[in-house]
Amino acid sequence: MLAEIKGLNEECGVFGIWGHEEAPQITYYGLHSLQHRGQEGAGIVATDSEKMSSHKGQGLITEVFQNGELKKVKGKGAIGHVRYATAGGGGFENVQPFLFHSQNNGSLALAHNGNLVNATQLKQQLENQGSIFQTSSDTEVLAHLIKRSGHFELKDQIKNALSMLKGAYAFLIMTEKEMIVALDPNGLRPLSVAMLGDAYVVASETCAFDVVGATYLRDVEPGEMLIINDEGMKSERFSININRSICSMEYIYFSRPDSNIDGINVHSARKNLGKKLAEESGIEADVVTGVPDSSISAAIGYAEATGIPYELGLIKNRYVGRTFIQPSQALREQGVRMKLSAVRGVVEGKRVVMVDDSIVRGTTSRRIVTMLREAGATEVHVRISSPPIAHPCFYGIDTSTHEELIASSHSVEEIRQEIGADTLSFLSIEGLLSGIGRQYEGENCGQCMACFTGKYPTEIYQDTVLPHVKEAVLTK
């Protein structure tokens, strides 16, 4: 994927297993399959029922565990995390899972995928009550809320803490004796359960189950809490106010094509999006090409629907290290050329339809259009398999201001001129929902569409939003 240079960065990935003698090793392979969701840090915490051991660090999972560290992490239960910094910034102290020790109540490990929109308010309240935070991550808030709960049993402490949270969260919580799993009442992030022999496995994406040889059982329901221990798995509810709103970008961009979300295969959904795009904005051309990797499925669907041949007009260099992916705009633009090249033998003298999944800043699209023209394309028609991203996301994607989003201030024609395409079309809202396999049911279509529509499934708090964009988003 071109996440680092496109401006849409993946969220995080969580993986957990209970009841297997090689739990840390399986967690390692599970996290490796989720590496696309975060490349800034990784970690694993394990328990042998008596004590916990852990290791974490900055970088890819293979870098963090490259010197035999995995042998030191032992136990029959483990949780792991791959991180992209969406709240709180980078740094080793923010790499998860977090591990907390209590003299009276044992240890608690915590891994989180998502973003809490009321974290600032909760932190202020907790600090006023005497809490001291060790990280700048919003995830640590849950640990403090659990510790300060007046309930006796851990499950009730967690339920009470979760009831105070707003936003997107898929939590894995582990003690010496059990693993607890929780998904926010909107189900914004994907989370599923599988079986590996007698062991229970939980992961952000079902592709992780295939890698470790586990058999998919079911998705975790919004507002559901699973308690997994040596006695088995028990389901409880911590919220009955359910409004299922799965992040649409999971289908469009983030998840691996071999994953299934809510029973829908990601590759099939993307292919259908391409077909819907062709229905809405077909054009005469000689070849169709997709921007690797996440747009390939949509490009295939577009080609099938139009009858225009699909070709590999763009090739991704898979050996570019993360060293080249820098946050500055100048190096981000250079990163496009480092990661992609046009195939002259495919596009020279041809009218090319370039299918991509989204346009964020417009920088990458402009560079790719230029690349195709330099390789000899006579026309470049850009087709985007999602609606224009015109509104910030506060649930775990790093687009927190309107200024970052070209569609927030430019019309489709202005964006076309900005990227230098001959024509430009986006998929409609209706085409998106139909392609995924959803239908409107009143206001609820089962998807979070906030980045397209500006209608957020949860409250958005003042301190979540930067001052110059507050007025635009302080509505549901």
Side-chain angles (χ1 to χ4, degrees), residues 234-354:
K234 181 181 178 182
S235 172
E236 296 194 11
R237 287 276 175 187
F238 67 87
S239 174
I240 58 174
N241 185 21
I242 304 302
N243 177 27
R244 184 152 215 158
S245 305
I246 300 171
C247 173
S248 293
M249 294 307 295
E250 292 286 354
Y251 291 104
I252 296 166
Y253 180 71
F254 290 126
S255 295
R256 267 179 40 164
D258 52 338
S259 289
N260 296 327
I261 302 173
D262 196 26
I264 300 171
N265 174 252
V266 173
H267 165 72
S268 298
R270 289 176 184 166
K271 192 173 177 181
N272 287 336
L273 296 179
K275 291 179 178 179
K276 291 294 178 182
L277 187 60
E279 291 176 10
E280 295 181 358
S281 57
I283 195 168
E284 289 188 9
D286 301 307
V287 297
V288 175
T289 192
V291 179
D293 287 317
S294 55
S295 305
I296 298 300
S297 300
I300 293 171
Y302 188 98
E304 284 188 7
T306 59
I308 302 170
Y310 170 78
E311 297 284 358
L312 289 174
L314 293 165
I315 297 296
K316 181 178 179 180
N317 178 2
R318 303 185 184 279
Y319 301 97
V320 176
R322 289 173 301 114
T323 305
F324 297 104
I325 310 305
Q326 302 292 340
S328 73
Q329 189 64 31
L331 288 180
R332 184 181 290 114
E333 293 184 16
Q334 179 60 30
V336 179
R337 291 189 178 276
M338 297 294 297
K339 277 210 157 186
L340 278 182
S341 58
V343 182
R344 180 175 294 274
V346 169
V347 304
E348 189 171 24
K350 302 290 180 60
R351 299 169 296 176
V352 178
V353 175
M354 183 194 95

Side-chain angles (χ1 to χ4, degrees), residues 1 15-16 34 62 65 85 173 178 245 247 298 328 337 376 419-420:
M1 293 183 182
F15 184 96
L34 299 174
T62 52
F65 291 92
I173 304 162
E178 62 187 356
S245 305
C247 173
S328 73
R337 291 189 178 276
I419 67 175

Side-chain angles (χ1 to χ4, degrees), residues 119-129 133 463:
T120 300
Q121 292 79 8
L122 291 173
K123 276 188 177 182
Q124 289 174 348
Q125 294 172 17
L126 289 164
E127 287 180 349
N128 290 339
Q129 296 169 7
F133 285 85
D463 290 335

